[in-house]
Amino acid sequence: MTSLRSLIANLVVYLVAYLAIITIGAAHFAFAQSPQTAPAGTSRLAGYSSESSQTERDWEKKFQAGIVPENLRQNMQRLSARPHHVGSPYDKENADWILSKFKVWGFDAHIETFQVLFPTPKERIVEMIEPTKFRAKLQEPAVPGDPTSNQVAEQLPTYNAYSIDGDVTAPLVYVNYGNREDYEQLDRLGISVKGAIVIARYGEGWRGMKPKVAAEHQAIGCIIYSDPKDDGFFNGDDYPKGGWRPREGVQRGSVMGTDYPGDPLTPGVGATAGAKRLDIKDAKTITKIPVLPISWGDALPLLSALQGPVAPEEWRGALPITYHLGPGPAKVHLKVASNWDLKPINDVIATLRGSDEPDEWVIRGNHYDAWVNGAEDPIAGMVTVLEEARALGELHKQGWNPKRTIIFCAWDGEEPGLLGSTEWVETHRDELQKRAVAYINSDSNDRGFFEAGGTHDLQHLINDVTRDIQDPEKLISVQQRARLQRIARARNAEERAETRKSDDVRIRALGDSSDFTAFINYAGISALNIGYGGEDDADAYHSIYDDFYWYTKYVDTDFSYGRALAQTGGTAVMRLADAGVIPYEYNAEAETIGRYVTDLEKLLKDKQDEITERNLELQEGVFTATADPRKTSVPPPAKAVPPFMNFAPLKNGVEAIKKSAERYQAAFTKWQTAGSDLPARTAAALNADLIQIQRTFLTEKGLPERPWFKHQVYAPGAYNSYGAKPIAAVREYMDQEKWKEADAQIPMVGQVLENVAVAIGKAADDLEKAIAQGR
Ligand SMILES: [Zn+2]
């Protein structure tokens, strides 16, 4: 589901929103020597004694040396040889093949099957009936020389999964990306989409947001097209001359609603054969209006036939036309009808039992289902995860025994809506909440810079791991390269200074763009999403052209970044699985939550200023005086200035977490400096407490209007979804300008933060006591 482009877009947004890097008191990081003071390989690993550090490093080196790029290439060719979407024969063949591999490599592996609602198209029509006639092809042509692009019989047609069936005819309106701000702009231009079909371009967030917002504005149909400015010839030569989306290339994809991920018929429970199911008509995550995706080749005649105002400058794409908004005179007929069958999905689950703490689980995963051949998304990620499993199996045969249990997961059904991972987590939630140490996800892989998102208790760990991984192009550590990139991308001196102050690169907060979602948001499990990207001169996301031929010509052609990702992911898994004390770090978490609270305060202040200013301009007559009388221009509505809110419970919560985190990290440093392992029973008790800390961020009631999402700090936005909306219980209402409702949520979130502080404090008590006894 993730495209690296969207990841990068999120990263940029993230950077803009939260500056770059945390500043942490050096004292709390005394144990984590920076690469400047100690070359990688000699410093003591966080969570390890000096002796166990050395052993661990030796095994990790062996593991890293054992990753073979040629395996990645061969496995990609095998897994992407035919289309393999949910319910297709080759998807099942891949599941069986992956299962057999895990077994050969020494894992105890099985397939877990669920029955999910997965619509596939029966009938798709986009045609213009006025002022001229045009029927959209809705078909991606094969490319000569690309050997898998002609597998038409097995290719899923271009469509948006979970679009409701519908047959509508109406005037067309161009709505840019189709987000809420775009409709505000349309209001100002006097254009309504009521009773119209909208045409939106892909990009700027979750595609499911486009029909959702369109329906909220009473549109009756939605067409989404790929503008060449966003992923086509505007960026570089298009396929097959270059790697960018060609004229007839279409982005398939899910338009599932954001109320909950997973099977639309079984929210909150595993979609097992006998599970109680909603009626399809009661499933909240199916769209309200029909939606279809089209290529720019199909969009061009429709957009060319629009009249009405010229689109605002930022709305214009790269097509050789004047972009008009409509409505009409283009009148469009849109029809979608699907088979609404239950289909099986098959998760492959492979376990390597831990020697000392078998009931503590370190989980690593990637999805294997694709929209079509899916070489980049998801196979580029899946093959690295498989190569990690193979190399760890090899290590195990040579005598390496992970302390904790390692579980590898190959998810099915990610593309339609995180189906495989969500149903699995829902089914096993109780057990996972007792045992899961962390979940590490990948989804696709490209070429370039290391990128990570996740819960910030793992920020320091992943920085430490990536200090040990070499960048294949620059021969410096991937961590250093990522850090220098932050400096290069910083917008001002302040951001650069922030970045330089910390050795660790700040990780992003995660939304719900891939299979980590149920782990974090539903089960409260610490998680990371990792991958490489940012240097690709290509984009064939969710089209038939994302295949082996394209990937090996335009993306990670020699699999050197595949190798780096396998080294990164596998090392992180090993480090978590073997540590005496699980190396969570809470200063970064406290600092990050503090920033989220500051952001909320700033958001309120900005909104107050903005509305005050606008009301003044309305009074002064600025809008009427400056409007061109030959164009329609509607002044914005006057609004009440937002009231002050009481953020004190959040700030007190953050302070409490900071204090507990400092105390825990001080004890941790003390123990590390002493250098010896904790007695086994003491370590076990401490780890058991540590594992529970992330769970305390959950409330059983969940977010106010999305009860499936239970984490009170990390959450996707209801409208931006792909991206994160931290402290969503408060933030979501603020974005909707429901100030009272937002204010009313603050004490609840404040209490959650206090609970987290208590949980970290308990771990600090455990460790302080252990150190005192050790003397
Ligand atoms: Zn994916």
Side-chain angles (χ1 to χ4, degrees), residues 151-402:
Q151 298 166 330
V152 184
E154 289 181 82
Q155 289 165 357
L156 209 45
T158 55
Y159 82 120
N160 288 130
Y162 303 111
S163 160
I164 195 169
D165 287 355
D167 187 349
V168 293
T169 302
L172 194 65
V173 178
Y174 175 57
V175 296
N176 193 29
Y177 293 110
N179 57 37
R180 288 186 294 183
E181 295 72 32
D182 293 331
Y183 286 90
E184 280 171 23
Q185 186 114 324
L186 287 172
D187 286 345
R188 298 275 334 266
L189 296 162
I191 293 172
S192 162
V193 301
K194 188 175 176 183
I197 293 174
V198 302
I199 181 164
R201 56 172 162 157
Y202 266 117
E204 295 287 311
W206 174 234
R207 73 180 77 71
M209 174 270 300
K210 299 171 198 283
K212 176 179 171 162
V213 180
E216 286 173 0
H217 289 81
Q218 296 176 288
I220 60 169
C222 179
I223 296 166
I224 313 175
Y225 82 104
S226 300
D227 197 286
K229 189 159 191 182
D230 297 306
D231 61 9
F233 63 74
F234 185 80
N235 303 277
D237 288 326
D238 60 7
Y239 195 60
K241 192 182 174 204
W244 294 89
R245 191 182 303 278
R247 181 185 180 102
E248 309 292 347
V250 180
Q251 181 187 141
R252 288 160 191 74
S254 173
V255 284
M256 183 183 266
T258 52
D259 304 84
Y260 53 88
D263 175 29
L265 304 184
T266 60
V269 294
T272 50
K276 203 168 154 239
R277 288 179 161 73
L278 299 174
D279 281 345
I280 291 178
K281 67 172 170 39
D282 296 326
K284 278 172 91 176
T285 54
I286 295 167
T287 64
K288 301 273 190 295
I289 57 175
V291 201
L292 272 180
I294 63 174
S295 66
W296 73 254
D298 276 341
L300 184 57
L302 307 181
L303 293 168
S304 305
L306 286 175
Q307 290 298 321
V310 172
E313 192 172 341
E314 325 77 69
W315 289 34
R316 300 170 201 163
L319 294 173
I321 55 168
T322 301
Y323 284 69
H324 288 271
L325 300 172
K331 196 173 189 184
V332 168
H333 174 214
L334 167 68
K335 183 172 183 188
V336 189
S338 290
N339 287 306
W340 291 88
D341 300 337
L342 293 190
K343 307 270 189 335
I345 51 169
N346 300 291
D347 291 336
V348 190
I349 309 294
T351 304
L352 187 62
R353 196 180 151 82
S355 57
D356 296 12
E357 298 292 348
D359 289 339
E360 290 175 5
W361 298 349
V362 177
I363 309 168
R364 172 80 170 120
N366 197 105
H367 71 100
Y368 68 88
D369 70 299
W371 279 117
V372 198
N373 298 75
E376 180 196 47
D377 181 8
I379 299 303
M382 191 67 242
V383 293
T384 68
V385 171
L386 290 175
E387 181 65 2
E388 290 166 31
R390 185 198 64 75
L392 290 182
E394 191 59 40
L395 231 53
H396 185 54
K397 283 174 196 155
Q398 293 169 24
W400 171 71
N401 284 299

Side-chain angles (χ1 to χ4, degrees), residues 90-102:
Y90 205 64
D91 199 42
K92 182 62 170 57
E93 276 189 40
N94 278 347
D96 292 336
W97 184 83
I98 291 169
L99 177 70
S100 71
K101 288 291 175 191
F102 279 131

Side-chain angles (χ1 to χ4, degrees), residues 482-517:
R483 194 164 170 272
L484 295 173
Q485 182 205 28
R486 293 287 174 101
I487 293 172
R489 279 190 179 183
R491 292 170 309 164
N492 52 43
E494 189 194 354
E495 281 186 17
R496 281 188 292 276
E498 295 260 1
T499 307
R500 289 181 176 123
K501 244 189 261 175
S502 171
D503 286 339
D504 283 353
V505 179
R506 175 183 280 273
I507 63 175
R508 294 177 298 120
L510 292 172
D512 63 352
S513 58
S514 191
D515 288 311
F516 46 76
T517 306

